[in-house]
Amino acid sequence: MLGLAKRIGARFLLTSTSEVYGDPLEHPQKETYWGNVNPIGERSCYDEGKRTAETLTMDYHRGAGVEVRIARIFNTYGPRMCLDDGRVVSNFVAQAIRKQPLTVYGDGKQTRSFQYVSDLVNGLVALMEGEHVGPFNLGNPGEFTMLELAEVVKETIDSSATIEYKPNTADDPHMRKPDISKAKELLNWEPKIPLREGLPLMVNDFRNRILNEDEGKGMK
């Protein structure tokens, strides 16, 4: 894709990830932080793949003059996500609607920051229409532990939902929170939709699809 962008003079957008910071020793994470990543761990294929993609993107920018933009995307949620994609918000919402226990890994005290999809889209548009290469953190600085997220999902869907604890996965980041000062200053962007406002919009979509899925099974 970088080669194609070079040949036709296109502006290239790399959607990178907060995972480039690994299990961070800096909190919140600024774009200047180089990260704390295990290069041979169970999660490293994704983490290091994105880090390498950033490296190649900047090499094409510096060496071949390709116009590039780099966004580091933090956890994002919203309608039309895959019902069983394994992401924590999707998991919790689908489990609560299906009357299953919410699966929490480890002690549930690890934190994530969740942005609604339209906020992310607005950030990517601002990045592509602006003149700054990046990288830019695009995320919502509102920070929730997994247990707090589970409670918000219960409030929204089913207050009687239970929580099931399972062993944590290897190299799971303990903290994740973006410092978005750079995006605020240079892109005039910040997220507008808090979790308690965006989550019901996702829940409505998930509920409709899961109910239709269940009806389809019943007809077979």
Side-chain angles (χ1 to χ4, degrees):
M1 294 306 297
L2 283 160
L4 176 62
K6 178 183 174 183
R7 286 197 301 278
I8 67 174
R11 180 174 291 179
F12 178 89
L13 170 66
L14 175 66
T15 50
S16 187
T17 171
S18 60
E19 294 293 327
V20 299
Y21 300 123
D23 189 5
L25 304 177
E26 173 183 293
H27 191 74
Q29 294 83 55
K30 293 187 179 75
E31 292 87 350
T32 49
Y33 179 52
W34 290 358
N36 177 42
V37 177
N38 175 3
I40 57 170
E42 291 179 18
R43 302 168 61 94
S44 62
C45 182
Y46 182 66
D47 301 357
E48 296 290 35
K50 289 289 192 178
R51 287 161 69 95
T52 300
E54 289 194 15
T55 300
L56 288 170
T57 300
M58 289 307 298
D59 282 346
Y60 267 78
H61 174 62
R62 286 185 294 252
V66 176
E67 248 198 293
V68 302
R69 302 289 183 268
I70 299 174
R72 290 178 178 163
I73 298 173
F74 284 67
N75 289 55
T76 305
Y77 69 95
R80 298 194 293 277
M81 293 177 76
C82 293
L83 295 174
D84 298 298
D85 61 14
R87 299 170 188 271
V88 65
V89 184
S90 306
N91 282 356
F92 283 178
V93 169
Q95 287 169 337
I97 292 171
R98 290 170 174 152
K99 304 292 185 182
Q100 298 168 346
L102 309 188
T103 306
V104 170
Y105 293 91
D107 61 9
K109 292 179 181 175
Q110 61 272 46
T111 68
R112 298 292 183 271
S113 301
F114 303 102
Q115 71 178 331
Y116 190 67
V117 61
S118 60
D119 282 334
L120 171 61
V121 171
N122 291 337
L124 292 173
V125 170
L127 174 59
M128 286 301 280
E129 290 180 346
E131 299 305 315
H132 301 282
V133 168
F136 285 95
N137 288 336
L138 295 183
N140 192 319
E143 188 179 15
F144 292 82
T145 67
M146 295 302 93
L147 288 175
E148 287 171 339
L149 173 65
E151 287 303 320
V152 175
V153 170
K154 286 172 62 174
E155 284 172 26
T156 308
I157 301 173
D158 179 5
S159 60
S160 67
T162 58
I163 293 175
E164 180 180 56
Y165 290 88
K166 291 192 175 179
N168 206 356
T169 52
D171 299 322
D172 187 39
H174 292 93
M175 298 178 294
R176 183 75 82 231
K177 178 180 179 177
D179 183 320
I180 60 169
S181 306
K182 186 176 176 183
K184 279 183 177 179
E185 180 186 349
L186 299 179
L187 303 181
N188 192 30
W189 173 87
E190 63 180 312
K192 308 290 187 192
I193 300 175
L195 182 64
R196 282 182 168 83
E197 188 178 315
L199 191 65
L201 303 175
M202 177 180 176
V203 168
N204 290 339
D205 170 69
F206 266 49
R207 185 178 278 123
N208 289 337
R209 286 192 286 149
I210 287 171
L211 291 177
N212 289 337
E213 185 183 77
D214 290 344
E215 285 174 12
K217 287 175 184 171
M219 290 169 64
K220 288 181 182 175

